[in-house]
Amino acid sequence: MSETTTTTLYDRLGRRDGITRITRELIKNHLGNPLVQTRYAQIKDMDKTERNVVDFFCVGSGGPNNYTGQDMLNTHRGMNISEQEFVSVLDDAMAALETCGVEAPVRNEVLGVLWSMKPEVVRV
Ligand code: HEM
């Protein structure tokens, strides 16, 4: 049996420590990405948002559930996020995973999970 079938995605991402590193890299990428940087530059309490994103990725990948942020629809409602911005944020995520040494099959797994949330993020 391969390891993939016996561990959760949470484990494969390096558990909370790994997910924290990935999230920091992700936020750094967003702030340097001309297609989305203005969206993230206006966040008032980035520490809180970072913590919420880490918690969200932990529970979403099969780890413990400490998430106290809003659901994806309520978080992004009214922002009028475009398809281009959505793809650009996914590109930032893929780059962050690669920088953090996450292998391609696991990156693709994350891509699938993120893509599935498109209806709750784009033009809501
Ligand atoms: C699958 C894709 C996405 C996921 C999983 C996601 C996830 C999240 C999460 C977990 C939060 C924190 C919620 C909270 O603090 O209550 C958040 C906040 C935020 N997201 Fe997304 N997001 C996605 C796509 C996008 C896109 C495409 C944009 C715009 C380019 C965007 C812009 C924002 C902004 C600006 C905030 C901060 C809102 C605030 O001021 O608190 N997100 N997102």
Side-chain angles (χ1 to χ4, degrees):
M1 199 186 291
S2 77
E3 199 179 331
T4 314
T5 58
T6 55
T7 63
T8 59
L9 179 56
Y10 176 70
D11 292 318
R12 291 194 284 288
L13 292 173
R15 306 174 76 92
R16 192 175 181 90
D17 282 354
I19 289 172
T20 301
R21 281 180 57 224
I22 293 161
T23 301
R24 288 191 178 141
E25 203 59 40
L26 174 65
I27 292 171
K28 195 161 81 183
N29 289 347
H30 288 339
L31 291 172
N33 179 346
L35 288 170
V36 294
Q37 61 191 179
T38 53
R39 298 280 194 178
Y40 295 93
Q42 52 80 38
I43 293 175
K44 288 184 187 71
D45 188 347
M46 188 55 98
D47 287 348
K48 186 174 171 211
T49 301
E50 181 188 300
R51 203 164 50 244
N52 280 342
V53 173
V54 170
D55 288 344
F56 183 81
F57 289 159
C58 284
V59 63
S61 59
N65 185 3
N66 302 311
Y67 186 63
T68 56
Q70 299 195 79
D71 65 43
M72 288 304 93
L73 199 53
N74 281 314
T75 297
H76 301 98
R77 202 194 300 275
M79 288 192 201
N80 197 23
I81 292 169
S82 69
E83 285 81 357
Q84 187 188 38
E85 287 178 298
F86 182 76
V87 170
S88 198
V89 158
L90 266 48
D91 282 342
D92 285 348
M94 293 304 106
L97 290 166
E98 204 171 344
T99 302
C100 292
V102 176
E103 301 291 340
V106 180
R107 298 203 296 269
N108 288 337
E109 233 181 303
V110 174
L111 183 60
V113 175
L114 293 177
W115 184 262
S116 75
M117 291 177 224
K118 186 172 169 231
E120 294 159 67
V121 174
V122 171
R123 303 203 190 279
V124 289

